Amino acid sequence: MNASTDSRRRFLQATAGMLGAASCSWLPQLASAAGSDPNRKRSCILLWMAGGPTQTDTFDMKPGHANGGEFKETKTNVPGLRFSEHFAGLAKQADKLAILRGMSTREGDHLRGTYLMHTGQRPGGPLNYPSIGASLSKALEDNQSMLPNYVAVNPSGLLNGNALSPGFLGPRYAAATVGSRNTPPADDSEAMADLGVDFLSLPPGIDAQRHKARLALWNDQQNQFLARHPSGAAQAQATIFQSAVKMMHPDAASAFDLSQESSEVRESYGRGTFGQGCLIARRLVERDVPFVEVTLGGSGLGWDTHQGNFPAVERLSKELDQGWSTLLRELNERGLLESTTICWMGEFGRTPNINGTAGRDHFPDAWTCVLSGGGIAGGQAYGKTDEAGQEVTEGKTEVQDLLATLCQAVGVDPATEHYSPQARPIKISEGNAIDQVLT
Amino acid sequence: MLRITHVPASFVLFSLLAWSTAVLAQDVSADVPEEIGPMQAMAARIDALVQAKLDREKLSPAPLATDGEFIRRAYLDLVGNIPTVAQTRAYLDNDAPDKRQQLIAQLLKSPAHPTHLANTWRSLVLEPSDEPQRLQNERGLQVWLRGKFSQNVRYDRLVEEFLTATQGSDGPGYFYAVQDLKPEMLASETSRIFLGLQLECAQCHDHPFDRWKQHDFWALAAFFAQLERPDNVNNVGLGRFDIVDRNVGEVTIPETDEVVPPAFPGSDANYASFGGTRRQQLAIWMVSRDNPFMPRRAVNWAWAHMMGRGIVHPADDMSPQNLPSHPELLEELTDYFIQSGFDLRLLLQTIAITDTYARSSEAVSDSEAPPELFARMAVKSLTPEQLFDALIKVGLLKSDVAQMSMDVNRDQFVARLRTASKDRTFFDTGMPQALAVMNGPPVSTATSPETSGLLKALSAPFLSDQQRLNVLFLAAYSRPPHADELKRYKQFLQQAPPDQQSAALGDVLWVLANSAEFMLNH
């Protein structure tokens, strides 16, 4: 449902006074086709695979080897590049994907691996590092935006640990969370996932007029206190509440309203939280949100397939394929793929050998991440593992290199420095970007 | 100056609001502690040492806080909630010259004090969790802590009991359960909590900047190497977790064959000369009078709890490289704490009656003293628990918040508002949290005329707008409105149609509840 013109107008009157004229520059942007703007900054979408997906059954298959498992390979639109048979949609767009088959990291625990892949740092040090989402959204932020710079869709409480944390960058760069408002639909459920931001609308009984009156008084009250208490905590409270008020504006809030999409479009992404999350990501990128993270496998054990690997991976792969391939297609159709980089990763890979319960265990030694979209030279595999998938034989890639490549793809210098509380300059990534996968 | 002169109105108001008064309104005059001399002397010494450092830096301290600022701060720090309107009124109307000290003594005797300390220590000891079963288990530990704090058990005794817990019914058993009985986790957590030493970096390598070596870390871990959890089916529920101390089990440095025997950090005392199990040996060393770390850490914790930051900051990282801002003060307070028989309550009381604690948080000049000089009170974020309870109180939504009961709404609110930072001088929350406060319960409930007890109480027709605004401000800020506020809000109320008066008061309450002044302890 579109917010009615009338309520929008009244809301505008309500907020215009307190926010001032400068803040209204977002208005024309929302209506315009963002992709046509040559000065548009890039956005990044992280497809987070909670639990650690198996490389051997997805993008680095070992057909003919005992480790290969049950799945067949399928050809893609790039000669010689093959994926799992369950990636029918992605196979048609393989020219947009760079497969990094030489990932090699050093954390095999879910929480530690999640932290490592999000920050580039191993956990436990004295410094609380920001997640790559926080770092990139700071580098790419739009101060005028009414939307948060970093949005996380359905993050997994179980596995994320501090991974979504803004760390030393502070709460201003924390992810705004979009959660599921109904029970996550089971695989065979007919129900559509209902994603949304809690408490984004006014409580019952409060109309825009009263909201306006409250905000006018609130503004005075805040200014009076801030003038006498110029402390960081008071400033932060005022800033964050102000931002939340902006986010309630119908034009901003509508970004999260999937009922504005046709049922055909919603179906095309898949009904689960991941597919609908990809659709929210598209809507946010259209509105210039710099960083969106969408989780697959957040509820339950996700990709943590210690037992019964194959049926679980088949189901997850199909859900992934539908959401991701529709996202690529739609961004491309809207002229947004050029400026949107998509990174597919989890906390580690899984053992190439199949264990006694038809499962695969944690394996950080040799695994796969995938970059796609803007800034990425698609249609290639970078790095190689041996026949058994046990070792990287070519193009060994560490987490810092992956993050550096991602930064470069979205147009941010990986050596960009942010400051720790001790005023120590810290680079987003110390790694080396892989030129071969960049355009 | 702000008393309500209209007698019936003030009488009715007082009766309406007094029912929410907690158990605090007791006679306190009879309770002058025998130790008052040394305590006041120590408080004066604290002020002198803080002042001396300010003098050296050629900076002045902020003036003392107003009564309203002070009572709100003291309530939040000592009992974890804001005062009621009646409690605030009684304090503002009190003319006794020592009313600040009276208030502190009264709060420390209140049953809400050990509850608040137990809350505080529970989050110091355990990583926060929102999982229902873990919350249930955490309550077991909290009950145990509250028992100790309400008896004001000697702090060294509390540490000893915590470290050597064996009984399934004991709260601290749950701490061991959370650490999976892993020696390395128990070593790093207990040294952080009770010694203020962060040794965990030495777990994997020699610390590059610190004196601790990998060997030191594993030698401490060795004290936890002989624990076992018996296979007991009754071992469930409310933090129950039996622990058996065996006499076998050692630690080895990972990826080596090196077995590390127990040793105390920074000490060459021979553990074997201490009796009992490994854990008892560690506990005996930790609480021994010449342990250099344990009482300093307790003092630094108490200071940080009251002042927003430690004399060593961060408060749980007292490594030799992390120097105290006031070394002399830390040493003298530590001596005082030891002399007092490790009396944690007396320590909090001593800090609370200083002028340093009573300073305003307002900025006095453009060139502010850095926070480590304690020239003015730090502005601290309320914990999510404090914020929820304050909102409940401000809307008079419950006459009595049960001390330990399960409250699903509170749990949900706390889970949503939970922050990553342990430093309360940060306001560490994001937009989704702000939205939940602005548009969700309990604010929506507290500010709606249909559900707000306070708004119902204020609907009495004989009350003037000024009286109503007075009550709202006392409820939210523990102070009456300033003249300009009174003018602004009176005008606002006058614009509302007669049938919307209560709703308009609800709007005022909404503004106050979402303001920085309400959401911060200042």
Side-chain angles (χ1 to χ4, degrees), chain A residues 124-126 128 147-149 162 165 170-172 174-177 197-203 206 210-211 213-215 217-218 220-222 224-225 228-234 236-237 240-241 243-245 247-248, chain B residues 69 200-201 361-363 376 379 381 416 420 425-432 434-441 444 447 473 477 479 482 484-485 488-489 492 503 506-508 510-512 514-517 519-520 522:
Chain A
N128 190 4
L147 288 164
N149 287 303
N162 283 324
S165 158
R172 188 170 158 208
T177 305
V197 179
D198 285 338
F199 303 114
L200 192 52
S201 357
L202 292 170
I206 306 298
R210 271 186 69 194
H211 186 58
R214 285 175 164 192
L215 290 178
L217 288 171
W218 180 77
D220 284 342
Q221 203 63 38
Q222 291 289 78
Q224 182 189 303
F225 187 78
R228 289 180 285 117
H229 297 84
S231 77
Q237 193 273 353
I240 290 158
F241 273 64
S243 307
V245 169
M247 193 170 156
M248 287 170 65
Chain B
E69 265 183 282
E200 66 271 18
C201 299
S361 61
E362 289 194 25
R376 61 176 161 125
V379 173
S381 297
R416 194 180 286 276
T425 63
F426 288 163
F427 184 84
D428 187 15
T429 191
M431 280 195 254
L435 288 171
V437 175
M438 287 194 295
N439 298 332
S444 53
T447 56
F473 272 73
Y477 294 166
R479 65 163 174 89
H482 303 310
D484 60 325
E485 289 169 331
R488 193 191 318 147
Y489 289 102
F492 175 76
D507 292 336
V508 176
W510 184 90
V511 168
L512 301 186
N514 283 289
S515 69
E517 183 166 358
M519 295 188 69
L520 299 167
H522 45 86

Side-chain angles (χ1 to χ4, degrees), chain B residues 58-376:
Chain B
K58 299 191 171 50
L59 290 160
S60 344
L64 295 182
T66 61
D67 281 351
E69 265 183 282
F70 187 79
I71 185 179
R72 194 173 191 274
R73 174 191 305 169
Y75 264 79
L76 283 167
D77 290 337
L78 295 177
V79 297
N81 204 343
I82 56 173
T84 63
V85 174
Q87 286 160 345
T88 303
R89 282 226 161 106
Y91 182 71
L92 298 182
D93 288 348
N94 185 347
D95 292 330
D98 65 340
K99 69 173 181 176
R100 235 169 50 200
Q101 300 200 12
Q102 280 181 28
L103 174 72
I104 300 297
Q106 182 190 339
L107 292 175
L108 286 167
K109 279 201 319 182
S110 130
H113 172 66
T115 304
H116 176 53
L117 272 198
N119 268 325
T120 309
W121 272 76
R122 189 199 57 199
S123 41
L124 183 73
V125 165
L126 299 175
E127 281 297 314
S129 167
D130 304 316
E131 203 225 311
Q133 183 57 52
R134 289 191 57 169
L135 279 174
Q136 178 83 1
N137 287 332
E138 286 188 12
R139 283 191 177 92
L141 179 58
Q142 178 158 342
V143 168
W144 184 87
L145 285 166
R146 188 182 184 280
K148 300 297 161 194
F149 291 129
S150 77
Q151 296 162 44
N152 197 26
V153 165
R154 283 173 62 109
Y155 178 75
D156 52 349
R157 183 83 197 123
L158 182 151
V159 175
E160 199 178 344
E161 285 181 35
F162 189 97
L163 283 176
T164 57
T166 55
Q167 290 299 307
S169 56
D170 260 0
Y174 181 60
F175 169 79
Y176 283 87
V178 170
Q179 313 303 337
D180 277 343
L181 287 192
K182 286 184 183 159
E184 64 275 24
M185 290 176 69
L186 289 164
S188 71
E189 279 303 284
T190 54
S191 58
R192 177 184 68 82
I193 296 162
F194 297 115
L195 303 176
L197 298 179
Q198 303 211 348
L199 296 174
E200 66 271 18
C201 299
Q203 185 176 338
C204 313
H205 51 81
D206 285 351
H207 199 294
F209 316 115
D210 215 332
R211 62 194 262 198
W212 308 115
K213 303 291 177 215
Q214 195 178 17
H215 201 272
D216 295 319
F217 176 83
W218 288 97
L220 182 64
F223 286 105
F224 298 103
Q226 304 190 335
L227 302 178
E228 189 180 62
R229 180 180 186 172
D231 207 4
N232 181 347
V233 282
N234 295 324
N235 238 343
V236 287
L238 226 63
R240 302 242 160 106
F241 186 89
D242 286 332
I243 302 159
V244 173
D245 291 273
R246 300 172 302 163
N247 51 16
V248 289
E250 298 297 342
V251 292
T252 49
I253 294 183
E255 293 166 36
T256 72
D257 298 327
E258 189 184 347
V259 175
V260 185
F264 304 117
S267 159
D268 43 21
N270 176 14
Y271 77 95
S273 67
F274 294 54
T277 64
R278 289 262 176 102
R279 288 195 299 155
Q280 284 166 344
Q281 291 162 343
L282 177 67
I284 290 167
W285 171 76
M286 270 210 192
V287 305
S288 64
R289 284 206 160 220
D290 48 358
N291 183 304
F293 307 109
M294 192 277 273
R296 280 174 94 241
R297 161 67 178 146
V299 164
N300 201 42
W301 169 81
W303 186 271
H305 177 73
M306 300 298 287
M307 304 297 301
R309 62 180 290 140
I311 301 173
V312 178
H313 179 78
D316 59 1
D317 186 7
M318 302 181 76
S319 78
Q321 280 65 38
N322 194 14
L323 295 176
S325 57
H326 297 69
E328 221 179 330
L329 174 58
L330 182 59
E331 291 323 310
E332 289 189 30
L333 255 182
T334 303
D335 287 344
Y336 171 77
F337 178 54
I338 297 170
Q339 297 300 325
S340 75
F342 294 88
D343 186 336
L344 203 56
R345 192 180 293 173
L346 182 71
L347 179 64
L348 288 170
Q349 188 170 13
T350 310
I351 297 169
I353 65 166
T354 61
D355 283 350
T356 305
Y357 178 71
R359 301 224 169 270
S360 172
S361 61
E362 289 194 25
V364 282
S365 69
D366 291 340
S367 55
E368 284 301 317
E372 65 270 21
L373 293 184
F374 304 107
R376 61 176 161 125

